[in-house]
């Protein structure tokens, strides 16, 4: 295999050396086999359990581990919007938790509670777009994002590392301390505030302080139900757009 290791293997090794642990000491702390040698040689997959332990014990940024982010460690003082908890399945692989409208009401308060996440449904999507990144599903409540999102639909969203990464033409799941919202986001120039914007123009934009945002997830797809023939034109347009998107990605 030579030295052509995957980015997460290289970064895992870098963290261990940073922290000054031997392979055996690090394995013990992470609750895995007697040594981390197999992970560092690329023989054993970096499991979701290890990613979770690195986040919990050493504040290692899971996005950075997979080559997605630039910030290696999450600082306790900096306002971090990275997931506060990574969920794994029985095989220790990271999975995608689904937060329905009812659960969303309790999400901000239970954001770091492992047992709370266990009661939520979770699944794995074996599609390349959902690999090597942390995703979570959220159910849309209300009509503030019409016509793009309807009440009861689900959005699948990818963890965002920092408010600096927000894109003006994307939608986000914004987890505040008292609510979970789907909005567009714009930074308010020369201030510590951001503007949360609804697509439905009957809802005016409103501002929140950046440090009120606990987590930020970029919406990249949605699950719809009850499609019928009356929306055929709209559906056709949506399908064409999806195909265009896919073509771009493949190129």
């Amino acid at each position: 295999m030579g030295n052509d290791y995957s980015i997460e293997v290289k970064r895992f090794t870098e963290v261990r050396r940073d922290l000054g642990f031997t392979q055996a000491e690090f394995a013990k702390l992470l609750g895995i086999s007697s040594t981390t040698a197999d992970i560092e040689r690329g023989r054993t997959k970096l499991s979701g359990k290890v990613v979770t332990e690195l986040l919990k014990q050493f504040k290692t940024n899971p996005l950075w581990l997979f080559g997605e982010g630039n910030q290696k460690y999450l600082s306790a003082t900096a306002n971090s919007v990275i997931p506060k908890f990574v969920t794994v399945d029985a095989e220790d692989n990271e999975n995608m938790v689904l937060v329905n409208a009812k659960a969303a009401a309790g999400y901000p308060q239970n954001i770091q509670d492992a047992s709370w996440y266990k009661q939520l449904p979770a699944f794995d999507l074996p599609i390349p777009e959902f690999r090597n990144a942390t995703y979570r599903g959220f159910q849309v409540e209300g009509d503030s994002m019409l016509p793009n999102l309807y009440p009861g639909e689900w959005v699948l969203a990818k963890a965002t590392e920092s408010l600096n990464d927000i894109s003006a033409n994307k939608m986000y799941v914004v987890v505040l301390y008292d609510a979970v919202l789907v909005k567009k986001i714009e930074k308010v120039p020369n201030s510590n505030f951001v503007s949360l914007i609804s697509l439905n123009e009957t809802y005016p934009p409103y501002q929140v302080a950046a440090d009120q945002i606990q987590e930020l997830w970029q919406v990249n797809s949605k699950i719809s139900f009850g499609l019928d023939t009356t929306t055929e034109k709209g559906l056709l347009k949506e399908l064409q757009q999806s195909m265009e998107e896919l073509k771009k990605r493949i190129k």
Side-chain angles (χ1 to χ4, degrees):
M1 184 172 170
N3 281 337
D4 190 22
Y5 295 151
S6 65
I7 191 153
E8 60 265 36
V9 167
K10 289 177 185 159
R11 292 192 162 183
F12 173 82
T13 311
E14 191 180 315
V15 169
R16 177 182 65 77
R17 288 177 179 152
D18 265 5
L19 298 166
F21 293 112
T22 66
Q23 291 181 328
E25 288 167 341
F26 209 36
K28 194 175 174 191
L29 283 168
L30 297 171
I32 49 177
S33 60
S34 54
T35 167
T36 60
D38 278 351
I39 294 176
E40 294 181 32
R41 289 192 194 112
R43 283 185 189 161
T44 310
K45 198 172 151 288
L46 191 62
S47 72
K49 177 181 188 292
V50 170
V51 175
T52 304
E53 286 302 318
L54 288 171
L55 172 62
K56 209 158 68 182
Q57 294 187 49
F58 308 110
K59 299 271 183 284
T60 309
N61 175 1
L63 304 188
W64 173 84
L65 268 177
F66 291 107
E68 287 274 324
N70 305 318
Q71 190 186 338
K72 194 189 297 186
Y73 299 106
L74 306 179
S75 123
T77 50
N79 174 38
S80 164
V81 294
I82 289 170
K84 305 296 178 269
F85 192 81
V86 178
T87 58
V88 295
D89 61 18
E91 277 80 50
D92 275 348
N93 294 315
E94 194 175 330
N95 56 17
M96 194 186 306
V97 170
L98 296 178
V99 182
N100 66 22
K102 186 169 176 275
Y107 185 90
Q109 296 77 39
N110 293 290
I111 208 158
Q112 298 196 45
D113 179 356
S115 59
W116 185 81
Y117 284 94
K118 285 196 179 105
Q119 57 169 351
L120 298 176
F123 71 107
D124 179 39
L125 262 185
I127 301 173
E129 280 79 1
F130 294 96
R131 283 281 162 262
N132 289 346
T134 297
Y135 282 87
R136 203 150 284 171
F138 294 89
Q139 193 175 24
V140 177
E141 217 183 349
D143 58 1
S144 72
M145 295 310 270
L146 287 175
N148 294 37
L149 298 174
Y150 282 80
E153 287 185 329
W154 290 79
V155 292
L156 304 180
K158 177 181 173 180
T160 304
E161 184 179 37
S162 150
L163 283 167
N164 299 328
D165 299 334
I166 56 180
S167 165
N169 57 353
K170 297 280 186 192
M171 292 184 286
Y172 290 87
V173 176
V174 185
V175 182
L176 302 171
Y177 282 92
D178 57 356
V180 177
L181 311 165
V182 185
K183 298 285 173 222
K184 282 180 74 170
I185 304 179
E186 278 176 17
K187 286 190 192 149
V188 179
N190 310 319
S191 82
N192 187 35
F193 282 81
V194 295
S195 198
L196 302 182
I197 301 160
S198 301
L199 296 179
N200 180 342
E201 286 168 9
T202 56
Y203 292 86
Y206 60 96
Q207 293 185 357
V208 295
D211 60 11
Q212 290 305 297
I213 299 175
Q214 295 199 75
E215 286 181 353
L216 198 57
W217 302 80
Q218 187 188 90
V219 173
N220 83 335
S221 43
K222 70 171 183 173
I223 303 172
S224 296
F225 302 96
L227 296 171
D228 57 42
T229 51
T230 55
T231 57
E232 205 171 333
K233 262 192 180 146
L235 190 60
L236 208 63
K237 201 172 166 196
E238 241 182 79
L239 275 171
Q240 283 169 336
Q241 281 172 343
S242 300
M243 291 308 289
E244 290 305 319
E245 277 282 84
L246 274 172
K247 278 184 205 159
K248 275 184 215 155
R249 278 188 190 167
I250 291 162
K251 277 177 190 167

